[in-house]
Amino acid sequence: DSGVTQTPKHLITATGQRVTLRCSPRSGDLSVYWYQQSLDQGLQFLIQYYNGEERAKGNILERFSAQQFPDLHSELNLSSLELGDSALYFCASSASNDEQFFGPGTRLTVL
Amino acid sequence: AQSVAQPEDQVNVAEGNPLTVKCTYSVSGNPYLFWYVQYPNRGLQFLLKYITGDNLVKGSYGFEAEFNKSQTSFHLKKPSALVSDSALYFCAVRDRGNNRLAFGKGNQVVVIP
């Protein structure tokens, strides 16, 4: 158990809908990262937050947004969902410029 | 931008034999290098990292990796593979200027009893 929790575990929704994925980092970790894992794209970095501020941005679509709250949990919002957004979404956290610890992921299925 | 190549899709090895999973990287400057393992329907688990120091890094579950700067490689090794090592292995690199990890496409390791 990495100490990073993600909810929900599974999410099934329809095209055009909006969903919110939630992540709680390990106790004390200020950095939260979001990744997308799909068969065709592999594991892609989406975005990083550090202590509430956006720190780095990767291959994140404009339909996607994220935020980190004062209690350090983070949410990834995916809107106007398309079939191609079906993937595993991972959250990771780290204490410093060191290894990242990954949550169990949220499997999103868009029908 | 940093990148990682894992040239093989699948590595098959007999139980008890040495296991090697290859990784080469591209980054400007000195890299941070990582190996993660993913079991079915699970998140990624950290195995080991190279930040600085000894080129041979020891990690969890008997795994080790060798950093080779001249060949820009960071191959993962285990002297004697177990059936339970069957999983998906990811190499990742991060340059020292930012925190984003760039992952390779992953290698499926199959250990045959």
Side-chain angles (χ1 to χ4, degrees):
Chain A
D1 183 4
S2 67
V4 179
T5 60
Q6 289 186 249
T7 56
K9 196 168 183 176
H10 300 279
L11 202 46
I12 301 174
T13 188
T15 53
Q17 294 299 304
R18 172 190 168 96
V19 296
T20 297
L21 313 183
R22 181 188 170 103
C23 167
S24 292
R26 291 188 320 158
S27 177
D29 285 357
L30 298 180
S31 282
V32 168
Y33 310 79
W34 286 97
Y35 293 86
Q36 180 194 58
Q37 185 179 31
S38 61
L39 280 175
D40 53 344
Q41 296 289 328
L43 202 53
Q44 301 270 329
F45 167 77
L46 294 178
I47 197 164
Q48 179 207 355
Y49 277 81
Y50 177 82
N51 202 20
E53 301 283 332
E54 182 183 304
R55 180 61 67 91
K57 221 167 184 175
N59 301 322
I60 188 166
L61 299 171
E62 283 191 14
R63 301 183 284 108
F64 296 0
S65 64
Q67 54 185 325
Q68 187 179 25
F69 295 87
D71 66 353
L72 300 178
H73 91 271
S74 177
E75 291 180 357
L76 179 67
N77 300 297
L78 315 177
S79 61
S80 302
L81 285 167
E82 302 175 0
L83 295 177
D85 298 327
S86 295
L88 257 174
Y89 291 84
F90 287 109
C91 167
S93 74
S94 70
S96 60
N97 291 335
D98 219 326
E99 67 265 29
Q100 296 174 21
F101 292 88
F102 283 74
T106 293
R107 183 172 293 279
L108 174 66
T109 303
V110 182
L111 300 175
Chain B
Q2 64 266 38
S3 66
V4 164
Q6 294 182 247
E8 300 156 318
D9 287 331
Q10 182 163 310
V11 175
N12 296 325
V13 62
E15 187 177 23
N17 281 4
L19 168 63
T20 298
V21 188
K22 296 180 181 177
C23 171
T24 58
Y25 66 89
S26 173
V27 68
S28 56
N30 294 320
Y32 288 131
L33 293 158
F34 303 84
W35 275 101
Y36 286 85
V37 60
Q38 185 179 27
Y39 297 98
N41 300 314
R42 302 282 295 276
L44 278 72
Q45 294 179 33
F46 169 75
L47 276 181
L48 51 78
K49 65 183 177 186
Y50 171 82
I51 304 296
T52 188
D54 285 343
N55 289 340
L56 185 63
V57 178
K58 293 192 184 295
S60 307
Y61 313 121
F63 283 94
E64 57 188 31
E66 185 163 12
F67 171 65
N68 187 315
K69 189 172 184 178
S70 62
Q71 296 185 7
T72 61
S73 67
F74 190 56
H75 301 330
L76 181 70
K77 300 180 182 183
K78 185 170 184 179
S80 177
L82 301 172
V83 173
S84 57
D85 293 327
S86 298
L88 192 55
Y89 290 79
F90 288 94
C91 181
V93 67
R94 201 185 85 217
D95 73 40
R96 297 184 183 224
N98 63 65
N99 291 322
R100 66 182 71 184
L101 284 175
F103 284 90
K105 64 182 169 75
N107 284 126
Q108 184 67 49
V109 168
V110 177
V111 182
I112 303 159

